Amino acid sequence: MSDNESSHPKNRYSFAGKLRPLAGIGVALGLVVAGYAWAGGFLAPGHLSQTLIVDTFQDINGVHPGFRRNHAKGVCMTGWFDSNGNGSRLSRAQIFQPGRFPVYGRFALAGGMPMATDTPASIRSLAVNFSTPNGEDWRIGTLDLPVFPFQDPQAFAAQLRTTLPDPATGKPDQARIDAFFAGNPASAKAIGIIKSRPFSSGFANASYNGLNAFLAIDDKNVATPVRWSLVAADPFEAETTPPNDPNYLFDTLIARVQEAPVEWRLVLTVGEPEDATDDATIPWPAERTRIDTGTLTVNAIEPEAPGNCRDINFDPLVLPDGIEASDDPLLSARSATYSVSFTRRAGEHKNPSEIELGTTRPAKGP
Ligand code: HEM
């Protein structure tokens, strides 16, 4: 597997920043700082670009050659998706026709440190590539969060900036972080929703959400807004005291997959006309129709290596016919930013990943 999305026209997007002033004192960051280590604000108005965002990740985390600039610590997985055909009610994509389709993907922690210590509040991600016989790929990136804390790339970048160390103290300035949230009520509200829900104890019993809205397009060209989730089959268990192992989230996942394949249901939540498609900080009402489209099964984990998920860009705009981007401003910004991160790491010497298994150790297959 290799990738050349960095030259894809979709990735030449550049966004100009309308920067919000920071004011007031507010919400404690808690788990979001722990996970993403984001915070900050571009205090001076100016041009915001994908390059500037990736530079900011580097300013915060340092440069770790060969690694993703965000979600740096991860492992690769392979498996399959059993589609039950239900998704074809909304989308003509081949992935929603009944059948079994191969997948590969990546479990990771949000944040730019490839050697980060696993903690109960580490934000976890699952990225998946679905392949279909017609030659199409569908790439999704999901987080174990109920909403995303930022409405647009300007807010994301502003908050990221607040996590940069203050030159006077060598530490992020809490007043700047508080000021960001005071000036960005949508983010403060989203953090409240995030903090009201417990984290699961591991990767395997976490459910993951795509958060951004997309459009499902059926064979009559009717577009329906959807958000997707990967709902864990393993029962939810809240974390208590973490074991004394800096990689315990990954080690537990590897042991779990070795024991038996792990499953998630791929669920589409159907948006109603009043549901925001351009604001991932707002949850859609719980009573919305949810369509269970089939089962994702992960049966092998392997360390990042040439030819597997390491060299893939999980660009959220790699979509099959039958799924289209919504008007969510995060989507084109993500695509553009991932491209810069991908292009930088693709040209760098690769250091071994923190999570090394030595060999691929698949569980029993289908
Ligand atoms: C403006 C907002 C965002 C920015 C700037 C951003 C930035 C990044 C960057 C730079 C990477 C590394 C890409 C690479 O080198 O391949 C990344 C990875 C990732 N992001 Fe985002 N992100 C944003 C929003 C989101 C949202 C809303 C989600 C999910 C709903 C998300 C999910 C992920 C996932 C799952 C990965 C890891 C993919 C992998 O394992 O390769 N991100 N992000």
Side-chain angles (χ1 to χ4, degrees):
M1 280 172 234
S2 67
D3 236 2
N4 61 1
E5 279 97 355
S6 54
S7 59
H8 192 284
K10 280 173 181 164
N11 288 335
R12 295 200 196 108
Y13 177 89
S14 177
F15 42 89
K18 188 174 143 220
L19 302 169
R20 295 163 189 228
L22 304 183
I25 302 290
V27 184
L29 267 182
L31 54 89
V32 167
V33 166
Y36 256 90
W38 309 332
F42 290 110
L43 293 170
H47 182 72
L48 175 62
S49 69
Q50 53 271 43
T51 304
L52 193 50
I53 292 183
V54 173
D55 287 346
T56 308
F57 277 117
Q58 294 183 177
D59 290 345
I60 292 165
N61 302 297
V63 176
H64 303 280
F67 289 101
R68 285 164 171 79
R69 274 24 180 194
N70 192 10
H71 297 254
K73 184 182 187 183
V75 288
C76 298
M77 65 81 162
T78 52
W80 58 89
F81 175 61
D82 286 311
S83 170
N84 57 22
N86 291 344
S88 63
R89 279 164 42 198
L90 297 184
S91 167
R92 63 180 178 239
Q94 194 173 29
I95 192 71
F96 294 123
Q97 295 298 317
R100 174 166 290 185
F101 305 101
V103 304
Y104 61 83
R106 185 167 178 271
F107 293 94
L109 299 187
M113 300 295 287
M115 312 301 166
T117 297
D118 299 359
T119 71
S122 298
I123 296 173
R124 279 152 261 170
S125 63
L126 174 51
V128 185
N129 181 96
F130 301 83
S131 303
T132 43
N134 62 1
E136 289 183 322
D137 281 330
W138 176 31
R139 295 197 181 153
I140 66 170
T142 63
L143 304 174
D144 67 338
L145 297 179
V147 287
F148 194 65
F150 310 106
Q151 289 177 306
D152 53 34
Q154 288 74 26
F156 181 101
Q159 200 264 355
L160 191 62
R161 229 27 222 176
T162 64
T163 59
L164 281 167
D166 181 332
T169 62
K171 292 180 185 161
D173 179 352
Q174 188 61 41
R176 288 181 67 202
I177 294 170
D178 292 346
F180 168 82
F181 285 101
N184 289 270
S187 292
K189 203 167 172 190
I191 294 293
I193 295 168
I194 291 168
K195 291 177 82 171
S196 70
R197 299 181 21 149
F199 276 85
S200 71
S201 60
F203 275 106
N205 61 2
S207 294
Y208 299 87
N209 299 303
L211 303 178
N212 298 124
F214 289 81
L215 300 175
I217 314 291
D218 72 7
D219 48 15
K220 295 190 178 61
N221 279 327
V222 174
T224 308
V226 293
R227 285 176 170 174
W228 46 71
S229 303
L230 293 166
V231 179
D234 280 16
F236 180 88
E237 224 175 79
E239 181 59 77
T240 47
T241 310
N244 186 22
D245 167 5
N247 300 324
Y248 81 94
L249 287 172
F250 289 94
D251 291 343
T252 313
L253 171 70
I254 292 160
R256 171 66 188 82
V257 175
Q258 284 177 331
E259 193 184 291
V262 189
E263 294 179 350
W264 285 265
R265 313 294 299 178
L266 175 61
V267 174
L268 298 182
T269 300
V270 183
E272 296 289 336
E274 63 268 34
D275 296 335
T277 52
D278 62 352
D279 190 345
T281 66
I282 302 175
W284 286 354
E287 64 271 18
R288 290 291 174 262
T289 302
R290 288 161 63 86
I291 300 177
D292 176 346
T293 68
T295 305
L296 169 71
T297 301
V298 173
N299 80 321
I301 300 285
E302 55 183 89
E304 296 175 299
N308 65 20
C309 79
R310 189 193 71 180
D311 301 326
I312 293 296
N313 173 0
F314 287 96
D315 179 339
L317 295 184
V318 174
L319 300 167
D321 178 53
I323 305 178
E324 291 180 4
S326 70
D327 54 351
D328 188 332
L330 290 174
L331 285 172
S332 48
R334 286 178 65 191
S335 181
T337 307
Y338 294 18
S339 174
V340 173
S341 173
F342 175 79
T343 305
R344 287 190 189 175
R345 63 189 171 85
E348 293 167 344
H349 169 76
K350 303 289 185 296
N351 291 306
S353 164
E354 172 76 358
I355 311 300
E356 287 294 326
L357 311 184
T359 56
T360 303
R361 294 182 286 187
K364 291 189 187 84

